Amino acid sequence: MNAAWADHPTYPTTKRTEFTEELHGTQVPDPYRWLEDDVRKSPEVKAWVEAESKFTNDYLKAIPEREKIQKKLTELWNYEKFSAPSKHGKHYVFSKNNGLQNQFVVYTQDSLNGEPKLLLDPNSWSKDGTIALSGTAFSDDGKLVAYSQSEAGSDWTTWKVLDVESRKLLPDELKWVKFSNVSWTKDGKGFFYSRFDEPKKEAQFQSLNLNQKLMHHKLGTSQAEDVIVYQRPDQPTWSFSGSVTDDGKYLVFTSRTGTDARNRVFVKDLSKPLTDAPVEVVDNFDNDYTLIEGVGPILYFRTDLNAPNGRVIAIDMTKPAKENWKEIIPQAKENLRGVNLVGGLLIASYLKDARTQVKMFQPDGKFVREVEFPGIGTAAGFGGKPSDTETFYSFSSYAVPPTIYRYDLKTGESKQLRQAQVKFDPSQFETKQIFYTSKDGTKVPMFITSKKGLKLDGQNPTLLYGYGGFNIPLTPGFSVGPITWMEMGGVYAVANLRGGGEYGKDWHKAGTKERKQNVFDDFISAAEYLIAEKYTSTPKLAIQGGSNGGLLIGACMTQRPDLFGACLPHVGVMDMLRFHKFTAGRYWVDDYGSPDKAEDFKSLIKYSPYHNLKPGVKYPPTMVITADTDDRVVPGHSFKFAAQLQYCQAGDAPVLARIETRAGHGAGKPTAKVIEELADEYAFLYKNLKMK
C-alpha cells in the first residue's frame, strides 16, 4: 500500500497489528494501538518517531524555497510586541518581546511614561526557551506576584511567588497545578488555587486528570500545609476555580465537569473559617454563571440562563435564593462574551458577526456609551478594578498590527499608547466578510483577506482555516504567518463554523455531539464557496486547523478527499473512540459525547478520522503536525492517524508526520520553534499547491 513519489523513497515501515476491539457490538480495528505509548517510555514508539521525523525533514529540506520562506517569516516577526498594560498597586505592568525573543518579558513602570524595569524574564529559565510563563496573579496592593512556569508545553504548571519591590524570589512553590487560576486574599497573606494529586511518574503526560481540589496556600508555608477548601471525592470529574471579590468579602468558586460553560456556584464568606461549608448558590449544571465582580453583598454574573446570547444578573448574598435574582443587562441580538466591572462601569464585550463590539453600562443596567473601533477587528483587554479611572485595550485585525490604547472611563476617550511597527504595508491588503450557505441552508460568516486587486480566476493559492468547537470564536486578529502567506501570493480565509462561540449558546450547541457533522458540512461548504466564486480551485486550496480544528481537517479530508489540494491537521483529536481515556480528554465529552454511550458511539464512529481512512483512496498531500509532550491532545492521536494515512494512501501525494520535540499543545512555544514550524508548513504548501 505504501506510495512513492518521483523524488522521494517509500515511507518508513510501520508495524501493523491485527488488534480489534468490540465496542457496543461493533468490531473496531485499531492496528496502531501501540503508537499510543508515551514516546519517552517506549523505545519502539521513539524509533518510529525518529524514522518519521528523518523522512519528513529530508522531504522539507529538499524544497529550495523553504529557506527563503523562513527568512521572510523571521524578518516580519522581528518587531517589538507589547501587551496592553494593567495597573497593580502603584505599578503599571506590561509584557514585551523585542522581536525574536523566544518568550515575552514582563516589566513594571511607575507611570505610563516611566522607565520600564524588568520583572520576569522567562528567556533566562532555559537555553532553548521551552520553559514558559503561563500565568501571573498580583496581590491586591501589587507588592507580590504569583507566577506559573510550564515546561516543554505541558499543561502542568509550577507556581512561585516574587516580591515586586525587591525582585526577590520567596520560598513558596506549588506543584501539580493544572487548569487553575490564582486569587489572592485581600490581606496578601495567601491565595486560592486548584490542584490535582501527584500522578505516578510514568503517567504524568497520559493519565486522566481526576479529583481536582480547591486549596488555600498561606504565604511562607510548604505546599503540604495547604488547606483543602473544597473537594468532592464522590464526584471525581468535578473541577474547581475560585475568585476573591475585589473587597475581599467573598470567595466565589465554580464547579464544572467538562469544557461546556455550565457550572455550579458556591460562595464562602471569608470572615468565617475556611473549613466552614460554602453556600451553594447554584446547585445544578444547567447553565453558565461567570463571576464579574462583587460589591458588598451584591455579586454580578454573566449567565446564559434564559438567554442563549448572555445577560448580566445580580445576586444579593443577603437573600441568594433564585427568586430574588435581578436582571441588570438583558440579552441582546449580539453574543455577550465577557463583562468587567471597572471604574464603576460594567464593560460588556459582545461579538457582532464575529467582530468585537464593546458597550458600557452603569451597575443598574443603564446604557452609557459604545466604544468606537477603527474597523473590522478584535479588541481585547478592558480589565481593572472597580475603583480605577482608566483601562487599557489592544485592537488588531488580519492585516492591522496590534495597537494599544488607554481608555479614560470618565470621558470615554481612547488614546493610542503604542502601535506595532511591522515591515509590511497594511494598505496593500483588504479583509472582506462574506456570508455563505451551508448544506442545510444555515448562513455562515467567513473572513477573506488578501492583497488588494485580487484576480478571481480560480488560480489563487488559498489557505482555509477553521475550528468549530467548544464555544470558542475565531475573530479577526493579527499574525505574522497569514501576512507571510499573503506576501507569497496566497489568500487567507477563516470560516466561523457552528460549534464555535460566534453567535451564543444555540450556535455552539448546533455543532456538538450528534450535530457535530454540521461543523464539517459548514467547512466543506466554505471550500466549495471559495471554488465557486473563483477565489481558488481544488489543486490550489489548502485547509488547516489545530486541536479540535485538527479533528475538523481529519474529518473533512476523509469525507471529501477530492476537494482539497493540501491538508495541515495540527495536534488533532483523531481517534474519537479513545480520546476520553487520556489526560484532559474526559472534559471533551461535553462537545463530542461519550464513546462509552451506545448512542454517542454511533455518531462518533461515523466521522472519527482514524477510523474513516480507507485503503485505495487518493488522499491530498498531508502533513500531520504534533509534539512529543502534548499532554492536552496526546500525540498518539496524530501518530495513529499518520500511520494509517500512509498505509491507505493510493495516490502519489506525500503524507508526512512533523513531530516537534520538547513542545506541547501550542501554548508557550518558543518563537524559534513557531517560525520553523510555519516555514515547514508554507514550504510544504508551496511545493504541493505548485506555487510560483
Side-chain angles (χ1 to χ4, degrees), residues 7-314:
D7 58 346
H8 224 83
T10 51
Y11 299 118
T13 305
T14 302
K15 181 180 81 177
R16 187 176 171 85
T17 71
E18 294 302 313
F19 182 83
T20 62
E21 191 171 31
E22 187 174 308
L23 297 172
H24 307 289
T26 303
Q27 289 296 328
V28 180
D30 191 355
Y32 300 109
R33 175 72 63 94
W34 63 275
L35 279 170
E36 289 178 354
D37 288 351
D38 190 335
V39 68
R40 286 166 298 274
K41 308 286 185 301
S42 164
E44 198 178 18
V45 176
K46 187 170 184 262
W48 181 85
V49 166
E50 284 168 357
E52 288 286 342
S53 294
K54 182 183 184 310
F55 180 75
T56 297
N57 291 337
D58 288 350
Y59 179 91
L60 294 168
K61 271 185 204 157
I63 302 171
E65 293 77 16
R66 191 202 170 284
E67 209 174 303
K68 203 190 278 186
I69 293 168
Q70 181 155 354
K71 198 177 164 194
K72 181 71 178 172
L73 276 161
T74 306
E75 184 187 305
L76 282 172
W77 212 284
N78 194 9
Y79 70 94
E80 282 190 325
K81 303 161 190 72
F82 296 89
S83 74
S86 53
K87 185 96 187 273
H88 302 281
K90 60 181 187 179
H91 299 296
Y92 290 96
V93 180
F94 70 95
S95 299
K96 180 189 171 191
N97 188 308
N98 287 340
L100 295 173
Q101 287 174 292
N102 275 321
Q103 302 289 346
F104 274 73
V105 180
V106 184
Y107 295 89
T108 60
Q109 287 174 293
D110 295 335
S111 70
L112 287 173
N113 301 317
E115 185 67 30
K117 295 171 193 161
L118 182 90
L119 182 66
L120 292 164
D121 182 5
N123 298 293
S124 66
W125 297 344
S126 64
K127 279 183 182 170
D128 60 358
T130 56
I131 299 179
L133 175 68
S134 49
T136 56
F138 286 82
S139 60
D140 188 64
D141 57 10
K143 290 180 178 175
L144 298 168
V145 60
Y147 67 92
S148 63
Q149 293 178 322
S150 153
E151 188 167 350
S154 172
D155 280 334
W156 289 115
T157 60
T158 299
W159 283 83
K160 299 180 177 186
V161 181
L162 187 77
D163 183 297
V164 173
E165 289 301 317
S166 67
R167 302 307 203 246
K168 189 181 161 201
L169 194 62
L170 304 188
D172 307 70
E173 186 172 279
L174 308 179
K175 288 185 171 292
W176 308 114
V177 184
K178 186 188 273 202
F179 313 135
S180 174
N181 64 324
V182 154
S183 191
W184 288 82
T185 51
K186 188 77 175 169
D187 59 12
K189 291 180 180 174
F191 52 76
F192 298 94
Y193 72 101
S194 306
R195 67 162 289 181
F196 292 96
D197 292 332
E198 181 176 349
K200 289 179 181 157
K201 194 160 194 265
E202 69 277 5
Q204 73 183 65
F205 290 106
Q206 289 201 313
S207 61
L208 273 175
N209 304 139
L210 296 167
N211 294 303
Q212 196 178 37
K213 302 175 181 71
L214 183 65
M215 311 293 294
H216 177 262
H217 174 73
K218 187 179 172 189
L219 227 52
T221 64
S222 76
Q223 189 175 14
E225 298 169 72
D226 289 355
V227 175
I228 297 173
V229 178
Y230 197 77
Q231 64 174 335
R232 287 297 291 267
D234 61 321
Q235 299 289 349
T237 63
W238 288 19
S239 56
F240 302 100
S241 175
S243 293
V244 177
T245 54
D246 181 69
D247 55 14
K249 189 172 173 61
Y250 296 109
L251 168 68
V252 180
F253 64 97
T254 58
S255 169
R256 298 183 194 280
T257 58
T259 51
D260 207 351
R262 291 177 295 135
N263 53 291
R264 293 174 179 241
V265 179
F266 303 84
V267 180
K268 251 182 197 294
D269 183 336
L270 290 177
S271 65
K272 295 175 180 170
L274 279 179
T275 46
D276 279 12
V279 175
E280 194 167 11
V281 176
V282 178
D283 64 357
N284 58 68
F285 291 110
D286 294 344
N287 292 95
D288 166 48
Y289 300 87
T290 302
L291 178 72
I292 298 165
E293 189 49 272
V295 180
I298 308 296
L299 302 178
Y300 294 94
F301 288 88
R302 182 256 177 226
T303 183
D304 60 12
L305 172 70
N306 303 325
N309 285 349
R311 62 185 178 128
V312 175
I313 60 168

Side-chain angles (χ1 to χ4, degrees), residues 545-620:
S547 194
N548 172 73
L551 157 65
L552 170 73
I553 303 309
C556 289
M557 63 180 278
T558 51
Q559 291 180 18
R560 288 295 307 276
D562 60 306
L563 189 58
F564 311 111
C567 303
L568 295 172
H570 284 239
V571 295
V573 189
M574 299 305 200
D575 184 339
M576 297 309 296
L577 306 184
R578 288 178 59 74
F579 71 84
H580 62 315
K581 295 183 181 290
F582 300 96
T583 60
R586 66 166 184 85
Y587 293 112
W588 314 333
V589 298
D590 281 349
D591 246 52
Y592 299 148
S594 170
D596 295 337
K597 292 181 182 168
E599 273 311 296
D600 291 345
F601 168 81
K602 267 188 219 166
S603 306
L604 291 163
I605 198 168
K606 277 182 193 160
Y607 69 80
S608 177
Y610 173 56
H611 299 96
N612 282 282
L613 288 164
K614 294 180 176 64
V617 174
K618 290 183 178 180
Y619 289 101

Side-chain angles (χ1 to χ4, degrees), residues 407-425:
Y407 186 84
D408 188 312
L409 288 159
K410 288 185 171 164
T411 65
E413 186 190 358
S414 286
K415 187 184 173 191
Q416 185 178 311
L417 289 182
R418 298 185 179 109
Q419 185 170 30
Q421 302 299 317
V422 190
K423 293 172 191 153
F424 86 114
D425 180 2

